Coordinates of all heavy atoms in Angstrom, one line a residue:
K47 N -6.4 -3.6 56.6 CA -7.1 -4.2 55.5 C -6.6 -3.6 54.2 O -6.3 -4.3 53.2 CB -8.6 -4.0 55.7 CG -9.2 -4.6 57.0 CD -10.7 -4.4 57.1 CE -11.1 -2.9 57.1 NZ -10.7 -2.2 58.3
S48 N -6.6 -2.3 54.1 CA -6.2 -1.6 52.8 C -4.8 -1.9 52.5 O -4.4 -2.1 51.3 CB -6.4 -0.1 52.9 OG -7.8 0.2 53.1
Q85 N -12.2 2.6 48.1 CA -13.3 3.1 48.9 C -13.9 4.3 48.1 O -15.2 4.4 48.1 CB -12.7 3.6 50.2 CG -13.6 3.6 51.3 CD -12.9 3.5 52.7 OE1 -11.7 3.4 52.7 NE2 -13.6 3.7 53.7
D161 N -12.1 -2.8 48.2 CA -11.8 -2.2 49.5 C -12.9 -1.3 50.0 O -13.0 -0.2 49.6 CB -10.5 -1.4 49.4 CG -10.0 -1.0 50.7 OD1 -10.6 -1.3 51.7 OD2 -8.9 -0.3 50.7
E162 N -13.8 -1.9 50.8 CA -15.0 -1.2 51.3 C -15.6 -0.3 50.3 O -15.7 0.9 50.5 CB -14.6 -0.4 52.5 CG -14.0 -1.2 53.6 CD -13.8 -0.4 54.9 OE1 -14.8 0.2 55.4 OE2 -12.7 -0.3 55.5
Ligands
MG202 MG1 -9.0 0.8 54.5

Side-chain angles (χ1 to χ4, degrees):
K47 304 179 296 291
S48 298
Q85 210 159 349
D161 191 0
E162 302 190 54

